Amino acid sequence: MTQAASERYTRVAIILHWLIAVILIANIVLAWQFDEAKGLAKFQLFQIHKSLGITVLVLSLVRLGWRFVNPPPAPLASMKAWEKFASLAVHLGFYGIMIGLPMTGWLMVSASPRNIPTLLFGVIELPYLPFVHGLAVEQAKELAESFGEAHEVLAWITYGLLGLHVGAALKHQFIDRDTIVSRMIPFLKRA
C-alpha cells in the first residue's frame, strides 16, 4: 500500500459511507412526512422508511466488518487530543445510530399488537423478532411504546451527530485546511 493510499479510506469504505449517508438522510426526510400523510400514503411511507432502515442496518454491519479488516487511516498528527477524542466519539455514535435506529424500529414493529407486516421494498417480508412478538396486548403495547420512544431519542441524537460531523468536516476543509475531508472525498483537495 502506498503512503497516499494509507492516508485515505478504501474505496469500499468510501462507497459505504456515502451510500449509508444518503439513505439515512432520505429516511429522515421520509419520517418528517409521517404527520401529514394519511391512509395508504402513510402506510407506504412507513414501508419505505422501514425498508431503508433495514438497508442501513445491513450496510452498517457490512461497513463495521469492513472496518475491522481494513482499519481507517490514523488521525492527523496535527489534530489536538480533544479533536481525536471528539472524532472517535462521533464515529462510535454513528455506528450506534446506524445499528440502534433500525433495531429499535424493528423491535417496535415486532412488539406492536397491530401485527402490520413489513414488506421490504414491497417484495420481502421482514420477520418479526420472536422474543418480542406475540406478547399479551398490554405488554406488547408497552414495549412498542418504549421502543418507539427510544427510536425517537436516537433520531434526535442523529441530528446532533450530523451537525457535529458536517461542522467538523467544514472546519477541517476551510479553517484547518488539512487533508481530513479528502480522505472521504478523494477528488477533493485542501481548501
Side-chain angles (χ1 to χ4, degrees), residues 2-165:
T2 66
Q3 177 65 23
S6 67
E7 292 176 1
R8 63 173 49 145
Y9 288 88
T10 65
R11 279 193 182 105
V12 171
I14 292 169
I15 290 167
L16 288 170
H17 173 273
W18 290 107
L19 188 56
I20 292 168
V22 166
I23 295 169
L24 191 61
I25 291 168
N27 232 4
I28 289 169
V29 171
L30 283 174
W32 290 342
Q33 298 175 42
F34 289 161
D35 290 339
E36 284 79 41
K38 303 287 184 237
L40 183 59
K42 187 168 195 160
F43 174 80
Q44 290 172 333
L45 275 177
F46 271 102
Q47 291 294 323
I48 295 168
H49 181 77
K50 292 186 282 186
S51 296
L52 293 177
I54 293 299
T55 303
V56 166
L57 176 62
V58 170
L59 291 174
S60 297
L61 293 173
V62 168
R63 183 174 178 195
L64 193 57
W66 183 261
R67 187 179 177 115
F68 283 129
V69 176
N70 300 277
L76 296 179
S78 61
M79 288 175 64
K80 296 173 182 71
W82 72 266
E83 290 176 303
K84 292 175 186 177
F85 174 79
S87 173
L88 178 63
V90 168
H91 281 93
L92 290 174
F94 267 121
Y95 278 104
I97 290 300
M98 294 180 312
I99 293 167
L101 263 175
M103 284 305 301
T104 55
W106 193 1
L107 285 162
M108 177 176 48
V109 167
S110 296
S112 175
R114 293 181 180 177
N115 291 321
I116 298 172
T118 297
L119 292 174
L120 299 175
F121 301 104
V123 178
I124 302 166
E125 187 168 348
L126 182 70
Y128 295 115
L129 295 170
F131 50 93
V132 294
H133 182 68
L135 300 172
V137 173
E138 283 308 310
Q139 187 181 13
K141 273 182 163 176
E142 249 179 64
L143 267 180
E145 283 180 23
S146 295
F147 291 130
E149 289 170 9
H151 194 72
E152 190 172 334
V153 166
L154 290 175
W156 282 103
I157 292 171
T158 302
Y159 301 149
L161 289 173
L162 282 170
L164 288 170
H165 192 61

